[in-house]
């Protein structure tokens, strides 16, 4: 139906919670001649766990994720999105559909190497999140779920913004440690047009971490932070800066957040984040 | 009789408000009404070559399209100077200036009609730097020139210096009132050729005067009734959609609902003036102020609004509530192609308070005094001479306030408590990005005073009419009629309390505020409790007098009693008692002979204008406040959490303790917003963040509990000894928080709102904790 | 779904038919303009202020972010439908007693949000209350009296619970 509609020139839009789409329709930023509502499609609302992966349906809301013990990192990310009203309504599918540069979930999923599952007239497909974000969904495709690995160690998500609660991220950072694969992954949101992986810092960290104990030194944390600051400055294309946060501040904050996330995941006295 | 003056009486509009049935202006609907919308110029400065409305007029469902050509009366309006076109005709001077308006059968058709209006703009280079507004090569942006007003106050010997000198520049950004209910009105053309408006405004009669002039109607044919107002804070003092809506309703011959959404609200009303300020304070080594010099540039934006009066406030308050032997205070407010600025809570005083309080903290450091001690030492007292030559009348317990607030208990240290700080209590909130080991606490103080009522020789007044009669059930009832705009501040409760106290009745009803009665003046300048409260009280006293005279006459009491009945008779708790005359009857019995009614006009004492040297007796009275702020700052991220606020305020007699608390808490929160987050940002004259997504307001998680102490010395000449209370705390909250941040990070701050990037050291590498202290639980 | 069709909403306990509305209309717009339910307030229409808060199938939502047509068949509860007994009544009463209402434009949204919050988290501490109510903006009160009102409800309910337990 979607593909057909597109050809005939009418604007058919997908709707999940509506938190992004409905205000955009009102302001005229988005147009719609017809709406395909997904909110009550039960199949999209499931969360599941396989042997080594987790699958989150596109219709799962942030509130649904907040208490999810199988993925403390995802739970924590969901917990710091917007307000109660937005968490109750906004969904995973909508977050992917909107692909906001500083979307909290996108940053976390970028660090998690998530895959996006879509359905379209040409059948189901799976593609890495980065590719999905770079190219957008195939015309007529509906995001049905995201898939990510089961946590293999501590993970955390940190964000900063303009006030104490209910704020969009200015800069954010996700760090996931996988002790089995001996890898650390890190994504920074809010600096570039899309969340960016910090590959150089990641590989330096892999070498700095004592994998037997899953710990690292304060010096390693400092090095990690510095590498992220430097890499953040190279992210392209960069987001236009606002008057309240210069580019330099964003790079600096990216490094600070990365250092802290690293510390919380890997320094001996620290405890990884638990969801509330 | 309960719920009189001094009680925490409930608001009469409260039950409807909690039930959701209170009718706000935007809720009003009548059958057959049209929907009005405004077309706004997207350019900060543009010549308008042509406005073509032909296509829009022909769209089905479009009932009226109006432009500058359709304004029958005066083409411009304004609170003080009528320099703002109803619609831009040949030149638009700010991005967002109205160019045309349409009325259509529904909002979507109206929107389509706007899109169908063709305007041929020739964009001109905008002039948006207030510092250059008066430069010789800046063109005149308006036939009236680029200077709204200049004031130069000279006091003592302005060249005199003390040995300790503190000199610096400060910048304050543009704050928006952001009242929660956007502008709205329902406007109906009347059969008599007039027009009826139900509108959310701060000042019905000023609206009427401006409407009548632009519509070329006699004032009595322009009738306004106050519709429910969802906050104001100065932002509804100017005309916004009133004239446009009236033109549409008259053109279409049908009722028009005209309402803004949030974006249009941000573009539609004037904001708080951004300021650039230079201060030079000198003092003795012991810390006694010798001189203050200030130079202020306020950006008035494209049109005058209340800029001239805001400047007078800023300049005359620029030295703060301190004894200053010598001063030179100079200010200009200028025209630019930025959005117009006008009234907002504090009216010019918050800006200068940010400057003088930062200066005082630095002076305290320079002379080695505690900031509280320095303020105590220099605080002004009644009888002292202000820089304008005005003698400070009493009471003004500035010294007592700063001492009181300094003595309040401090909150526990950041790491105290069994659990330590959690995300919620850390700078940056729940995402817990802050690192407790990198959080520093700071404490800061600010002291300010703020004038009450209108200044500079204005003969301001308020009218009220009170009627005492018997309700259908035979009980005595007072009805009050006043044009005072209830915008949320609680005048409706105060008016009822006054009537209960003066007339000894339980039942009081308030007639809707409208223009059927004389002006009550604006709900601003902390003036309504004093002015309209005074008018209600005066009318009640007159009603009581008339009733008692009638009673005395009927009872055949001596002429002396009939002439001055108040001396021997009084109304108390539903009875009329006159011990001497041996009279005792119920109020109900006395009213059986018919209702009694009286009108009263309250005036405040006369002030004078400022002369060429800025000297005079410009202000009626003052109220002072002192805040202490405690903040935690994450040194690496520049995140700030306001941990606690304490306020000591000079309140005069308290008429309603609960309403007082609400006012000072609200005022504090708005000051907090300006300190750390609220800024309407312009880029080349265009507002870049006209939404609640990008213009952040404090939430419940940002505003701490307020530890509040009221000092209640009665104000002579004011009814019951009241003072206005809404503005002073807005003036002090911002600088106290800025001072606390300065104390935490150890660097001087010259820009408000303070941004995270101003607090972190971007030159030096990230400082991570050596020993992890454990992660804060989320 | 396509343009201009008809759907049924269930508002405050009553079935309401909406016809001819634009497909893109928010629940807020339809409630206020098509159904005359003006107890739901419009202050930002961006999900940022909570003035339009309703319960949608029992969950707190900003009605300006919900597509009206997508609420077809859902139970919508506004401040007017919260009822005049029990928790909602207590919330309204303490809002008045504690001075939590000034201009009142935020109040309907707050009453809905507070009722929802105290249903889910009756014993939330002050910090949690403040964070949980961050989706509702009040420009007048500075929140002090609002938090005081919420805590007063919590105290009254705790006393009530103790009494019931005995
Ligand atoms: C007040 C407010 C606060 C917010 N705060 C935050 C925050 O703190 N952090 C944050 O990350 N985000 C925030 N957001 C953005 C939030 O709306 C998104 O994160 C949310 O996940 C969108 O989900 P939705 O279901 O509401 O999407 P919708 O609005 O329904 O859809 C969004 C877009 O995705 C498309 N779409 C929807 N479903 C699918 C699908 N299954 N497949 C393909 N495309 C689809 C739609 O067509 C649309 O273009 C905030 C939004 C608001 C209004
Ligand atoms: S109007 Fe819906 S959240 Fe503001
Ligand atoms: S009471 Fe006015 S916005 Fe809350």
């Amino acid at each position: 139906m979607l593909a057909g509609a597109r050809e005939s020139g009418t604007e058919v839009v997908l709707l999940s919670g509506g938190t992004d789409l409905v205000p955009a329709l009102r302001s005229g930023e988005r147009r719609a001649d017809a709406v395909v509502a997904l909110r009550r499609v039960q199949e999209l609302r499931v969360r599941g766990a396989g042997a080594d992966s987790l699958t989150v349906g596109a219709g799962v809301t942030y509130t649904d994720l907040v208490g999810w013990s199988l993925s403390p990192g995802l739970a924590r990310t969901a917990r710091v999105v917007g307000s109660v009203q937005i968490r109750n309504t906004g969904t995973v599918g909508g977050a992917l559909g909107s692909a906001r540069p500083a979307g909290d979930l996108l940053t976390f999923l970028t660090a998690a190497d998530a895959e996006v599952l879509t359905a379209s007239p040409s059948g189901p497909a799976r593609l890495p999140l980065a590719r999905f974000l770079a190219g957008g969904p195939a015309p007529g495709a509906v995001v049905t779920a995201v898939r990510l690995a089961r946590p293999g160690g501590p993970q955390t998500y940190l964000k900063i913004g303009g006030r104490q609660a209910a704020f969009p991220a200015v800069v954010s950072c996700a760090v996931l440690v996988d002790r089995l694969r001996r890898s650390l992954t890190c994504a920074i949101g809010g600096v570039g047009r899309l969340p960016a992986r910090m590959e150089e810092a990641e590989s330096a960290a892999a070498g700095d971490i004592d994998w037997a104990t899953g710990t690292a030194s304060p010096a390693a944390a400092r090095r990690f932070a510095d590498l992220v600051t430097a890499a953040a400055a190279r992210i392209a294309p960069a987001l236009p800066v606002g008057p309240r946060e210069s580019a330099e501040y964003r790079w600096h904050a990216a490094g600070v957040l990365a250092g802290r996330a690293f510390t919380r995941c890997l320094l001996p006295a620290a405890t990884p984040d638990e969801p509330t | 009789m309960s719920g009189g003056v001094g009680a925490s009486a409930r608001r009469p509009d409260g039950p409807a408000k909690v039930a959701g049935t209170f009718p706000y202006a935007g809720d009003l609907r009548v059958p057959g009404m049209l929907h009005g919308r405004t077309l706004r110029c997207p350019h900060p400065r543009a010549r308008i070559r042509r406005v073509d409305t032909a296509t829009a007029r022909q769209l089905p469902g479009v009932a009226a399209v109006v432009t500058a050509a359709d304004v029958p009366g005066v083409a411009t309006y304004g609170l003080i100077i009528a320099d703002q076109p109803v619609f831009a005709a040949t030149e638009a001077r700010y991005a967002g200036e109205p160019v045309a308006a349409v009325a259509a059968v529904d909002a979507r058709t109206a929107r389509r009609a706007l899109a169908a209006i063709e305007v041929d703009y020739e964009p001109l280079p905008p002039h948006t730097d207030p510092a250059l507004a008066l430069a010789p090569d800046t063109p005149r942006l308006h036939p009236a020139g680029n200077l709204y007003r200049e004031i130069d106050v000279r006091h003592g010997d302005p060249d005199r210096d003390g040995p300790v000198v503190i000199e610096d520049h400060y910048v304050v950004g543009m704050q928006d009132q952001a009242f929660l209910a956007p502008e709205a009105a329902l406007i109906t053309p009347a059969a008599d050729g007039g027009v009826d408006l139900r509108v959310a405004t701060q000042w019905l009669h000023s609206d009427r005067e401006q409407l009548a002039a632009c519509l070329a109607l006699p004032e009595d044919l322009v009738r306004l009734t106050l519709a429910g107002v969802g906050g104001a804070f100065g932002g509804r003092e100017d005309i916004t959609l009133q004239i446009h809506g009236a033109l549409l309703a008259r053109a279409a011959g049908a009722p028009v609902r005209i309402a803004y959404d949030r974006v249009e609200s941000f573009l539609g009303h004037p904001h708080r003036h951004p300021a650039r300020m230079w201060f030079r304070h000198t003092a003795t080594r012991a810390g006694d102020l010798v001189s203050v010099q200030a130079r202020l540039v306020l950006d008035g934006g494209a049109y005058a609004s209340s800029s001239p009066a805001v400047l007078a406030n800023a300049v005359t308050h620029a030295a703060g509530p301190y004894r200053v032997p010598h001063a030179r205070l100079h200010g200009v407010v200028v025209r630019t192609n930025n959005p117009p600025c006008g009234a907002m809570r504090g009216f010019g005083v918050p800006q200068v308070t940010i400057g003088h309080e930062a200066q005082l903290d630095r002076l305290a450091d320079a002379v080695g005094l505690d900031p509280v001690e320095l303020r105590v030492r220099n605080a002004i007292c009644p009888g002292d001479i202000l820089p304008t030559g005005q003698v400070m009348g009493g009471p003004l317990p500035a010294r007592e306030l700063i001492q009181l607030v300094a003595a309040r208990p401090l909150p526990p240290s950041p790491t105290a408590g069994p659990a330590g700080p959690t995300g919620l209590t850390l700078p940056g909130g729940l995402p817990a990005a802050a690192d407790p080991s990198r959080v520093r606490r700071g404490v800061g103080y600010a002291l300010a005073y703020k004038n009450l009522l209108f200044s500079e020789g204005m003969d301001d007044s308020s009218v009220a009419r009170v009627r005492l009669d018997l309700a259908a059930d035979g009980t005595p009832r007072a009805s009050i009629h006043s044009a005072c705009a209830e915008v949320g501040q609680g005048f409706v409760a105060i008016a009822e309390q006054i009537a209960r106290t003066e007339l000894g009745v339980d039942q009081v009803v308030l007639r809707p505020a409208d223009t059927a009665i004389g002006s009550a003046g604006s709900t601003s300048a902390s003036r309504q409790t004093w002015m309209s409260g005074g008018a209600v009280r005066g009318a009640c006293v007159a009603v009581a007098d008339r009733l008692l005279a009638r009673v005395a006459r009927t009872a055949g009491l001596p002429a002396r009693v009939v002439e001055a009945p108040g001396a021997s008779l009084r109304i108390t708790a539903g009875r009329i008692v006159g011990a001497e005359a041996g009279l005792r009857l119920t109020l109900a019995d006395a009213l059986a002979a018919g209702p009694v009614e009286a009108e009263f006009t309250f005036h405040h004492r006369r002030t004078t204008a400022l002369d060429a040297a800025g000297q005079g007796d410009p202000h009626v009275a003052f109220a002072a406040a002192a805040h202490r702020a405690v903040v935690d700052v994450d040194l690496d991220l520049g995140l700030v959490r306001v941990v606690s606020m304490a306020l000591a305020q000079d309140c005069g007699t308290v008429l309603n303790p609960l309403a007082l608390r609400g006012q000072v808490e609200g005022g504090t929160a708005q000051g907090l917003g300006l300190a750390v987050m609220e800024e309407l940002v312009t880029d080349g004259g265009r507002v870049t963040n006209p939404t609640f997504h990008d213009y952040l307001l404090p939430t419940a998680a940002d505003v701490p509990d307020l530890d509040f102490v009221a000092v209640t010395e009665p104000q002579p000449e004011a009814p019951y000894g009241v003072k206005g209370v809404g503005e002073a705390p807005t003036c002090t909250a911002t600088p106290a928080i800025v001072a606390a941040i300065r104390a935490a990070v150890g660097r001087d701050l010259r820009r408000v709102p303070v941004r995270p990037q101003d607090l972190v050291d971007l030159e030096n590498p990230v400082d991570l904790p050596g020993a992890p202290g454990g992660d804060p639980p989320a | 779904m396509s343009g201009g069709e008809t759907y049924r909403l269930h508002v405050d306990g009553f079935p309401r038919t909406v016809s001819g509305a634009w497909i893109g209309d928010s629940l807020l717009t339809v409630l206020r303009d098509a159904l005359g339910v003006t107890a739901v307030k419009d202050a930002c229409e961006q999900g940022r202020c909570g003035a339009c808060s309703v319960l949608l199938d029992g969950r707190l939502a900003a009605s300006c972010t919900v597509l009206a047509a997508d609420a077809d068949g859902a139970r919508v509860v506004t401040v007017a439908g919260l009822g005049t007994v029990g928790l909602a009544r207590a919330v309204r009463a303490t809002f008045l007693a504690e001075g939590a209402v000034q201009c009142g434009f935020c109040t309907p949204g707050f009453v809905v949000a507070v009722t929802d919050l105290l249903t889910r988290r009756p014993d939330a501490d002050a910090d949690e209350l403040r964070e949980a109510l961050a989706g509702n903006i009040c420009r007048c009160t500075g929140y002090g009296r609002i938090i005081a009102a919420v805590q007063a409800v919590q105290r009254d309910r705790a006393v009530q619970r103790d009494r019931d337990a005995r």
Side-chain angles (χ1 to χ4, degrees):
Chain A
M1 169 191 177
L2 281 176
R6 232 164 254 261
E7 279 149 27
S8 70
T10 47
E11 187 72 22
V12 180
V13 295
L14 294 174
L15 171 78
S16 287
T19 57
D20 272 334
L21 182 64
V22 175
L25 288 174
R26 188 198 158 274
S27 70
E29 238 168 276
R30 293 283 302 271
R31 203 167 77 78
D33 301 308
V35 174
V36 176
L38 305 170
R39 192 167 64 90
R40 277 172 284 180
V41 178
Q42 285 307 319
E43 302 83 84
L44 299 182
R45 305 208 54 172
V46 293
R47 298 177 317 205
D52 47 24
S53 72
L54 302 173
T55 306
V56 184
V60 169
T61 65
Y62 295 110
T63 298
D64 296 336
L65 286 177
V66 167
W68 204 26
S69 57
L70 291 183
S71 179
L74 211 46
R76 179 186 169 87
T77 307
R79 179 66 183 85
V80 300
V81 168
S83 57
V84 174
Q85 285 91 334
I86 298 304
R87 292 195 292 273
N88 280 346
T89 315
T91 65
V92 171
L96 289 165
S98 294
R100 292 176 173 236
D104 294 312
L105 207 60
L106 296 193
T107 304
F108 183 84
L109 292 176
T110 297
D113 269 328
E115 279 184 330
V116 181
L117 279 57
T118 61
S120 70
S122 50
R126 278 164 70 153
L127 69 170
L129 177 65
R131 258 196 29 228
F132 172 88
L133 292 177
V142 177
V143 174
T144 54
V146 291
R147 182 163 297 166
L148 64 165
R150 272 181 178 266
Q155 27 186 256
T156 193
Y157 178 73
L158 302 178
K159 83 187 248 202
I160 58 172
R163 61 186 178 199
Q164 288 290 110
F167 57 82
V170 167
V171 181
S172 63
C173 171
V175 167
L176 283 70
V177 177
D178 191 327
R179 292 182 65 176
L180 302 174
R181 294 199 198 90
R182 302 199 160 195
S183 74
L184 175 149
T185 53
C186 171
I188 294 293
V191 177
R193 295 233 171 241
L194 292 171
R197 282 287 287 272
M198 302 283 104
E199 274 117 9
E200 198 184 325
E202 289 176 4
S203 46
D208 281 345
I209 296 168
D210 173 355
W211 289 108
T213 58
T215 59
S217 68
R222 211 164 298 135
R223 181 159 48 243
F224 185 72
D226 289 344
L227 285 170
V228 168
T229 302
R234 295 192 298 266
I235 294 175
L239 273 185
V241 295
R244 283 188 59 77
E245 295 88 14
S246 66
E248 290 77 10
Y249 173 78
R250 287 175 195 247
W251 305 335
H252 163 89
V256 175
L257 292 178
R260 290 181 181 175
F262 184 101
T263 301
R264 291 184 199 185
C265 290
L266 295 160
L267 264 65
T271 47
D273 290 301
E274 294 299 332
T276 47
Chain B
M1 196 272 311
S2 66
V5 162
S8 282
R10 305 271 180 97
R11 305 176 61 100
D13 55 9
K17 285 178 172 175
V18 296
T21 56
F22 183 80
Y24 293 90
D27 297 337
L28 302 176
R29 276 147 178 85
V30 287
M33 74 181 184
L34 301 167
H35 296 258
R37 278 192 81 87
T38 317
L39 183 70
R40 293 175 184 274
C41 174
H43 309 287
R45 181 163 173 244
R47 192 160 297 134
I48 298 175
R49 292 212 198 90
R50 194 175 55 93
V51 181
D52 185 346
T53 58
T55 321
R57 283 175 204 277
Q58 270 143 35
L59 284 180
V62 173
V65 181
V66 292
T67 67
D70 302 296
V71 179
V74 184
T76 55
Y77 67 94
L79 271 175
I80 298 176
I81 306 164
D83 71 342
Q84 180 156 6
V86 173
F87 292 111
T90 54
E91 183 171 340
R93 298 184 178 85
Y94 72 97
E97 181 162 355
V99 175
V102 303
V105 290
D106 57 39
R108 288 178 60 76
T109 308
R111 213 169 297 153
R112 262 201 297 275
L114 288 189
I117 298 175
E118 285 170 42
V119 188
D120 184 3
Y121 295 109
E122 176 191 339
L124 300 172
H127 293 271
T128 56
D129 184 347
L132 299 178
L134 303 177
D137 51 350
T138 302
R140 289 162 79 85
L141 300 174
H142 187 282
N146 297 352
L147 178 66
Y148 293 120
R149 191 173 182 185
E150 175 170 10
I151 299 174
D152 195 359
V153 171
R154 272 159 293 182
H155 171 62
D157 173 3
D159 294 327
R160 189 81 75 78
D161 259 8
V164 185
V165 179
I166 304 289
E167 181 179 336
D168 214 335
H169 293 268
Y170 301 88
V171 173
V172 181
M174 189 189 291
Q175 189 180 21
D176 190 77
Q177 299 83 355
F179 42 76
L180 204 59
E183 291 83 348
L186 181 66
I187 303 174
T188 314
D192 62 2
V195 59
D196 294 290
L197 292 92
R198 294 167 73 190
V199 59
T201 178
Q202 277 173 250
W203 191 354
L204 291 165
H205 287 75
S206 165
D207 283 7
R208 174 161 83 167
E209 195 182 316
Q210 297 172 71
L211 273 156
C214 295
L215 299 175
L217 283 176
E219 284 198 12
D220 59 354
L221 287 183
V222 179
R223 292 163 294 247
L224 288 88
T225 304
L226 188 72
V229 187
F233 317 116
R236 297 188 207 262
E237 198 162 58
D238 290 79
I239 289 273
T240 52
L241 43 61
Q242 290 89 326
I243 304 173
H244 302 153
L247 289 169
L248 289 171
R250 286 165 61 79
V256 169
R257 170 182 194 264
I258 182 162
Y260 292 170
D261 64 9
R262 181 56 55 187
V263 173
E264 197 168 12
S265 178
F266 270 116
L267 301 176
H269 61 252
H271 318 286
R272 189 190 296 293
H273 289 77
R276 304 204 189 162
M277 309 182 290
W278 169 85
F279 283 90
R280 186 170 186 275
H281 281 63
T282 76
T284 65
R285 286 188 211 292
D288 295 314
L289 284 171
V290 175
S291 69
V292 175
Q293 294 181 48
R295 283 204 294 268
L296 316 174
V297 178
L298 302 190
D299 185 351
Y303 296 105
S305 178
S306 46
S307 276
V310 171
L311 182 73
N313 257 16
V315 173
T316 59
H317 290 78
Y322 301 108
R323 218 177 302 118
V324 175
H326 309 285
R328 175 92 191 254
L329 311 172
H330 178 265
V332 291
V333 59
V334 297
R335 190 187 310 270
T336 63
N337 292 119
N338 288 319
C341 288
M344 181 173 173
R345 200 174 195 165
F347 207 74
V349 181
Q351 293 93 324
V352 293
T353 308
I354 287 164
H356 68 62
E357 289 304 270
Q359 288 282 100
L360 254 78
D361 283 343
R362 293 167 68 174
L363 187 60
D365 290 353
V367 299
L369 280 179
D370 177 83
V372 172
E373 186 48 44
L374 181 79
R375 287 174 172 84
V376 167
R377 204 180 170 101
N378 288 287
I380 204 158
C381 297
D384 286 342
I385 311 285
L386 299 172
T388 54
Q390 175 168 1
V391 179
M392 172 56 84
L396 197 90
R399 177 175 300 154
E400 185 185 349
L401 294 176
I402 189 79
Q403 284 170 327
L404 267 173
V405 83
R408 303 304 298 170
L410 279 162
S413 82
T415 46
T422 68
L424 292 171
T425 57
L426 283 169
L430 189 68
D435 178 340
S437 73
R438 296 294 296 156
V439 170
R440 291 291 175 278
R441 179 152 288 190
V443 179
Y445 294 88
L447 176 65
Y449 69 154
K450 163 78 185 54
N451 61 324
L452 305 174
L453 319 189
F454 286 168
S455 298
E456 296 190 88
M458 175 137 172
D459 180 18
D460 185 26
S461 62
S462 176
V463 182
R465 195 180 304 138
V466 171
R467 176 186 165 96
L468 194 57
D469 64 3
L470 293 177
D473 66 356
T475 54
R477 171 182 66 181
S479 331
I480 303 171
H481 194 187
S482 154
C484 170
E486 169 64 50
V487 301
Q489 82 277 26
F491 177 75
V492 288
I494 299 282
E496 293 195 357
Q497 289 175 264
I498 291 173
R500 287 196 196 101
T501 294
E502 297 298 333
L503 298 173
V505 293
D506 280 318
Q507 217 191 124
V508 184
V509 292
L510 230 82
R511 286 186 48 181
D514 58 27
T515 50
I517 186 169
S519 178
S522 176
T523 297
S524 63
S526 297
R527 62 180 285 291
Q528 286 298 19
T529 301
W530 181 329
M531 296 297 298
S532 294
V536 170
R537 185 195 199 188
C540 286
V541 169
V543 161
D545 251 26
R546 276 182 204 175
L547 177 68
L548 294 177
R550 188 170 83 189
V551 166
R553 229 179 355 253
T554 319
L557 296 180
R560 134 188 96 75
V561 180
V562 176
E563 270 150 37
S568 34
L569 304 178
R570 67 204 165 84
I571 304 175
T572 174
R575 313 191 141 269
I576 294 173
V577 279
E580 176 206 349
L583 185 91
R584 211 177 155 78
L585 81 167
T586 66
L587 193 51
D589 288 341
L591 285 168
V596 186
E597 193 167 328
E599 187 172 291
F600 187 84
T601 305
F602 187 92
H603 293 263
H604 60 64
R605 83 170 177 90
R606 286 306 287 265
T607 56
T608 69
L610 295 171
D611 67 16
Q615 299 296 295
D617 181 24
H619 300 303
V620 178
F622 298 91
H627 259 111
R628 183 190 65 203
V630 179
V631 304
D632 282 347
V633 182
D634 183 311
L635 298 179
D636 300 328
L637 291 171
L639 300 175
V640 176
R641 171 174 183 252
V642 181
V643 175
S644 85
M645 296 291 288
L647 167 69
Q649 188 174 323
D650 164 29
C651 299
T653 305
V654 178
L655 298 193
N656 184 322
L658 202 56
L660 165 65
R661 226 194 140 90
Q663 282 297 306
V664 301
E665 288 178 346
T668 299
Q670 288 183 4
L672 183 153
L674 179 58
V676 294
M677 66 183 84
E678 285 184 44
E679 182 172 10
L680 207 54
V681 178
T682 55
D683 179 8
R686 287 189 182 82
V687 177
T688 61
N689 60 339
T691 65
F692 281 177
H693 178 82
D694 296 313
Y695 184 94
L696 292 186
L697 295 166
T699 71
D702 297 283
V703 187
D705 279 331
L706 182 70
D707 175 9
F708 171 53
V709 198
V711 173
T712 60
E713 284 180 62
Q715 171 74 30
E717 302 174 35
Y720 307 105
V722 299
K723 283 192 174 194
V725 297
E727 292 184 288
T730 310
C731 302
T732 43
T734 312
I737 292 166
V738 175
I741 299 171
R742 172 182 181 266
V745 300
R747 60 166 81 187
D748 291 322
L749 301 169
R750 300 181 180 81
R751 186 194 187 283
V752 170
V754 175
R755 302 167 297 191
Q757 68 187 49
D758 303 330
L759 303 181
V760 300
D761 195 347
L762 294 175
E763 300 302 305
N764 293 307
V766 176
D767 193 3
L768 279 170
D775 197 51
Chain C
M1 290 183 260
S2 65
E5 79 269 46
T6 298
Y7 45 88
R8 274 158 77 90
L9 299 178
H10 212 265
V11 183
D12 293 335
F14 296 97
R16 305 286 301 263
T17 303
V18 181
S19 50
W22 174 51
I23 181 68
D25 275 337
S26 69
L27 179 58
L28 172 65
T29 299
V30 164
L31 285 173
R32 287 181 59 83
D33 295 345
L35 302 178
V37 183
T38 52
V40 194
K41 300 302 174 199
D42 53 342
C44 74
E45 298 186 70
Q46 260 196 329
R48 294 275 160 193
C49 75
C52 65
S53 294
V54 297
L55 298 177
L56 187 66
D57 281 335
R59 279 205 186 190
L60 186 69
S63 62
C64 67
T65 66
V66 173
L67 198 80
D70 193 33
D72 187 6
R75 278 176 301 114
V76 179
V77 177
T78 75
V79 69
L82 282 178
T84 50
V85 293
L87 185 55
R89 177 173 175 278
V91 171
R92 286 199 194 92
T94 48
F95 262 59
L96 292 178
E98 298 291 331
V101 180
Q102 288 186 29
C103 87
F105 203 69
C106 66
T107 308
F110 261 105
V111 170
V112 175
V114 168
T115 304
D116 170 67
L117 171 61
L118 293 180
T119 307
R120 288 183 295 112
R121 304 277 303 162
D123 301 315
D125 67 15
D127 288 328
E128 187 187 339
L129 292 180
R130 287 177 173 280
E131 198 272 341
L133 294 173
N136 292 74
I137 296 290
C138 174
R139 188 56 159 165
C140 299
T141 65
Y143 306 101
R145 300 305 88 210
I146 293 177
I147 298 299
V150 179
Q151 292 178 322
V153 178
Q154 288 180 312
R155 272 197 308 276
D156 292 350
R157 302 236 124 196
V159 170
Q160 187 70 41
R161 269 203 310 269
D162 286 353
R163 207 177 298 140
D164 294 348
R166 263 183 277 124

